[in-house]
Each structure stands twice: as C-alpha cells, then as structure tokens.
Amino acid sequence: MNAGDDFQGTPISSLTKGRSQIELMNLINPDAMTLGNHEFDYGRDALEENLKLAKFKVICANLWDKRKGNLFTKPYTVKNLGKAKVGVIGLTTPELFKLSLRENLKDLELLDIEKVTRQYINELKTKEKVDLIIALTHLGVQADSLLAVKFPEIKIIIGGHSHTVLKEPKIVNGVIICQAGSRGEYLGYLEAMIDVDGDSVYSYKGKLIRVVEGTVKPDEVALKKVEELEKMVDKEFGQVIGKLEVDWKRNFYGESNLGNWEADVMREFAKTDIAFQNSGGLRKDLPKGDIKVRDIWEINPFGNTFVVFEVDGKTLRKMMEWQASGKAELMQVSGIKVVFDSRKKIGERIISIEVGGKPLDENRIYSIVTNNWVADHLYDLFGIPQNSVKIKNLGVVDRDIFIEAVKKQKVIKSEVEGRIIDLAKQKEEIKNEY
C-alpha cells in the first residue's frame, strides 16, 4: 500500500509532472494508493492524466470533484485474500488547501472525514460484507490515532504525511497503526492473522525493513526503469555550478543559513526591501562541497514563481506578530531583523523590527518578494486577508534564479546572522550553558 506523496522531490518527477512515479509504481503494482498533498503539485489536470496510466487502484473517500459531480477517485477498494474479504478506504489530509496552491485544486472540495468514513464503513460491512476494514491515510500519526478512537471498526491504519518512523505498529483503541517514515528509506511490513467470524485481527507482527541503497539488492526491472528515467536528467543536472564552503542546513523553527542565502538572492533579484521564503519550501540540506544543478532542483522542487507586493509598516508589524505567535510556518527572511519573546502574550511578542538596518516606520510602504505559494496563503502565514494586497507575479521560477546565483557567486559561505531572534530561546540557551 502507498499512503501518498509519491510525487515531487526529484528532478525526474518535476520534469515528467509525476508520470515517472506512476511508471515505477506500475512495476510494483500496489493493491491501493491514496492521494497525498504533493500529488497535486503539478495541478489536478496533470494528476488526472497520470492516473489514467495507473494499473493499480487509487482511492480517496473525502475529495469531491465538482466538475464530475462525484468523488475525484473511487472511495475504497475490496480485495479477496484467501477466505478473507478486505476493504480499504482512502483518506487524504483535511489541510490539502493549506498545503497546495489553490489553482492546482480547481473544482475540488474536501468532504468531512468523519462523515465519509462512517458512510463507507457501513457500505463495506452491509453491501460488500467484508471481514476486515483498513484505512489507507495521508493524515499523519496524530490524526490516525484520533481516527482509531472514533472508528474502532477500522482494524488497521496504514498512514503517511507526518513522516513518522514507527519501527513497531502503534496500538490505539485496539487499532493497529503503521507508518514507514519518508523518502523510501523503509518498507513497512505487517503480517496479520484475521478472524473472519469475528471480523477482527487475531494476531499480528509488524516491522520496518530498511531499504536504502546498499542494504538490499535492487529489483532488476525497477532498477532498469530508474536508470532509464535518470538518463533524461543526468547530463544537465549533474553539472557542477559552484562550491559550498559550509553545510547548508535547514531549520523549520528558526533562522537557517540556507534560508538566508535564498532570501538574499530573492531580494537582490526583485530589488525589494524584504524577502520571505517559507521554511517548508526548502526540501533538503546540502553538505559542503560541489553544488550541482540537481541539488538546487532538489532543494526547490516545486517550481514556484517569485511574486512581489507592498504593505505599510503597520501591516508589516501585524504580519511579524502573527509569525511570532507560533501559529504559522516560519519564514526565512532577508532585509528585515525581528526580535521577539515567545514567553509573552500572543500579539505582544515583538520587541523590535528593523528593515534595512533602520527601525520599522509604521507609515512607510515596504516592498516584499516571496513565492506564489506563500502569496496564496497570506492569512495562514501572516494573518492578513488574502485580497488585502495587490500581488504581481514576476513570472520567473525560483530555482532558475537560484541556479544563476550559484553560477555567479561560484563560492558560497552563508551563515546564520541573527535575523530572527527569540529572546526566550536565547535565555534558555544561556541558562543551559551554566
């Protein structure tokens, strides 16, 4: 089973808009796959075209297609395994519209997970007469646990989304929950003995099998397919374009040297006062040494474009207060220095803001560059209404600009400089030193 987010993360996936992943999965031929948020990174139309090529079942019970007037995919699949009849319900994240570009989700609507789960549990039991119900989810372990509490009729949950490495199954309310991390590092294996009379799991054993390169012998047919796909990108993507003198390290909860470098490049390109790069948009670290075209594609795989907009200083302060509240994904920044104290009351955490080395002027207009995904989620990320600013798309893809910047700079040594300072964390660090 595949719990989603198979698309994205590699140049070949981006170049083929996910087709490469469908071709590989056709070789593996899973019994079922559900949709993750990254399946929509190339738009719903590209996904629909790719799904036509799939020789396996793709299921999702909580995604409605307003164009067709029915579900985007089948809600479940039923599999006969010996004397047992097993039903599998697919569920995707209720945060799909927060995590994806809205234009990539045209005419799609999320349905209430509890309602559809109850509906299809009933249908599987009464109409299909199944002996066992499995939920194949892209919700994350925490949401899987809540699902188990509410629906003990589900006996097994195979999950994704939170990238949790469950070396042994987690049991919640008698429900077996499994998840195998991320990036294909592990294969999750669960063996279950089913009591067909009691419609339950009599016994089970589960584990993770580490399958990174060198630990197992690759399947020859799959390996040949991977090599064939990689040849499409090797020549261009293997090109060395620069040198990194220090490791590039991401930080989802604070300033990072990779985030600083990218935000600086953005601000320089757009000639704005400030740059914001969302921390979650940076998809890999990079050790010091050669920088290849492939590395920049893998750090920035989404093909986002740069956009610019303006706000006054008063609005900018509100945006930074929202960022300091902990409610939103943290921005990596350039041109602005923010000092805050997370121990203070939300809305009163900002201590100081400097833009271009000068104190924030609430009456001044400031120009900002970011990417189109951030601009599409202004309320979630900054707490300001979506239509409160006029956004201009510069029409350039982020990674193209980053590649040119590496070529121009040749040798890069970016540092953490104290652009984002939480006084509470600083004092905690000092306290720990003593």
Side-chain angles (χ1 to χ4, degrees):
M1 296 199 185
N2 186 319
D5 273 7
D6 211 286
F7 287 18
Q8 199 54 268
T10 58
I12 189 63
S13 178
S14 297
L15 283 175
T16 64
K17 295 188 174 179
R19 194 194 74 243
S20 58
Q21 308 314 109
I22 297 291
E23 290 180 12
L24 286 166
M25 277 190 283
N26 278 340
L27 298 177
I28 298 165
N29 194 26
D31 288 309
M33 174 189 178
T34 196
L35 298 170
N37 47 290
H38 285 300
E39 267 67 62
F40 294 91
D41 283 353
Y42 312 114
R44 64 158 289 170
D45 295 332
L47 175 58
E48 281 185 289
E49 286 304 306
N50 283 323
L51 292 184
K52 289 175 186 174
L53 305 174
K55 296 175 183 176
F56 50 91
K57 296 281 179 19
V58 179
I59 55 173
C60 185
N62 64 319
L63 192 61
W64 186 260
D65 187 346
K66 290 188 269 190
R67 286 183 194 172
K68 298 175 186 171
N70 56 27
L71 291 171
F72 185 68
T73 68
K74 298 284 186 191
Y76 62 78
T77 184
V78 176
K79 186 91 176 171
N80 290 304
L81 300 168
K83 292 180 181 178
K85 196 174 184 184
V86 178
V88 185
I89 302 171
L91 296 167
T92 195
T93 172
E95 295 195 322
L96 184 62
F97 282 80
K98 282 187 179 181
L99 297 166
S100 306
L101 280 169
R102 286 176 175 83
E103 67 186 53
N104 290 353
L105 301 166
K106 279 179 183 170
D107 300 320
L108 294 176
E109 180 184 348
L110 283 165
L111 303 178
D112 182 83
I113 283 181
E114 286 190 36
K115 285 181 182 174
V116 297
T117 303
R118 190 172 290 108
Q119 176 186 343
Y120 293 114
I121 285 174
N122 291 337
E123 193 169 313
L124 285 168
K125 282 188 163 187
T126 57
K127 183 182 169 186
E128 302 289 349
K129 302 279 195 283
V130 300
D131 301 298
L132 189 80
I133 296 175
I134 297 173
L136 178 60
T137 75
H138 195 81
L139 305 174
V141 163
Q142 192 174 353
D144 286 341
S145 301
L146 291 171
L147 195 70
V149 170
K150 288 170 183 170
F151 298 102
E153 304 97 323
I154 296 169
K155 301 304 176 187
I156 298 169
I157 298 175
I158 306 296
H161 191 49
S162 56
H163 300 185
T164 310
V165 178
L166 290 178
K167 293 195 173 173
E168 292 180 352
K170 178 182 179 182
I171 309 301
V172 176
N173 199 26
V175 180
I176 301 162
I177 300 173
C178 304
Q179 193 173 149
S182 63
R183 299 174 182 268
E185 184 178 358
Y186 296 99
L187 179 69
Y189 177 82
L190 179 69
E191 189 176 298
M193 188 82 73
I194 298 169
D195 175 0
V196 291
D197 294 324
D199 289 354
S200 61
V201 176
Y202 177 73
S203 65
Y204 72 93
K205 57 181 178 180
K207 63 180 179 179
L208 295 185
I209 303 164
R210 200 158 188 264
V211 292
V212 290
E213 192 177 355
T215 60
V216 292
K217 186 182 176 185
D219 176 85
E220 288 183 12
V221 177
L223 181 62
K224 188 178 177 185
K225 185 67 181 177
V226 169
E227 288 172 345
E228 174 194 316
L229 290 165
E230 284 295 321
K231 276 180 187 171
M232 292 170 62
V233 296
D234 269 354
K235 190 174 179 184
E236 180 186 347
F237 287 78
Q239 180 190 351
V240 176
I241 53 173
K243 202 95 176 165
L244 192 57
E245 289 198 337
V246 293
D247 295 348
W248 263 343
K249 291 274 192 184
R250 296 167 296 161
N251 184 356
F252 199 78
Y253 304 103
E255 179 186 347
S256 72
N257 65 342
L258 172 57
N260 283 353
W261 183 80
E262 290 211 348
D264 285 349
V265 170
M266 293 165 71
R267 188 165 66 92
E268 170 63 27
F269 175 81
K271 306 296 183 208
T272 54
D273 298 311
I274 298 163
F276 291 127
Q277 164 65 46
N278 57 309
S279 300
L282 309 177
R283 303 306 282 190
K284 82 165 189 174
D285 300 328
L286 190 65
K288 63 182 178 181
D290 290 342
I291 305 172
K292 297 179 180 177
V293 172
R294 174 187 288 272
D295 296 319
I296 302 300
W297 270 72
E298 289 177 349
I299 291 168
N300 306 275
F302 300 113
N304 289 331
T305 53
F306 289 161
V307 302
V308 293
F309 62 93
E310 293 181 339
V311 296
D312 59 31
K314 195 174 180 182
T315 302
L316 183 59
R317 180 179 291 279
K318 283 181 187 172
M319 291 166 69
M320 293 300 97
E321 277 287 6
W322 187 272
Q323 277 278 297
S325 72
K327 294 177 184 176
E329 179 181 335
L330 188 81
M331 291 294 122
Q332 302 295 314
V333 304
S334 176
I336 186 170
K337 179 179 176 179
V338 182
V339 179
F340 68 100
D341 189 337
S342 59
R343 295 166 301 185
K344 289 182 177 285
K345 190 177 167 185
I346 288 177
E348 299 173 4
R349 291 184 170 181
I350 294 294
I351 307 300
S352 67
I353 300 173
E354 290 181 5
V355 180
K358 295 177 182 176
L360 176 75
D361 181 348
E362 293 201 346
N363 297 312
R364 193 188 145 185
I365 300 297
Y366 293 97
S367 56
I368 296 170
V369 61
T370 187
N371 62 56
N372 60 319
W373 184 86
V374 171
D376 203 38
H377 297 82
L378 288 178
Y379 180 75
D380 298 328
L381 298 168
F382 295 111
I384 62 172
Q386 192 61 40
N387 59 358
S388 63
V389 295
K390 188 177 178 183
I391 292 166
K392 180 186 176 186
N393 196 314
L394 300 183
V396 293
V397 176
D398 54 3
R399 59 178 167 246
D400 293 343
I401 304 306
F402 296 139
I403 286 167
E404 289 308 308
V406 172
K407 287 178 180 176
K408 186 179 175 183
Q409 294 178 24
K410 294 186 175 63
V411 178
I412 296 169
K413 186 180 180 181
S414 49
E415 305 285 354
V416 172
E417 301 172 353
R419 299 179 184 186
I420 306 165
I421 297 171
D422 181 357
L423 295 180
K425 285 184 182 175
Q426 273 197 342
K427 288 183 180 177
E428 190 62 36
E429 284 165 11
I430 293 166
K431 185 177 155 188
N432 290 339
E433 283 177 15
Y434 291 95

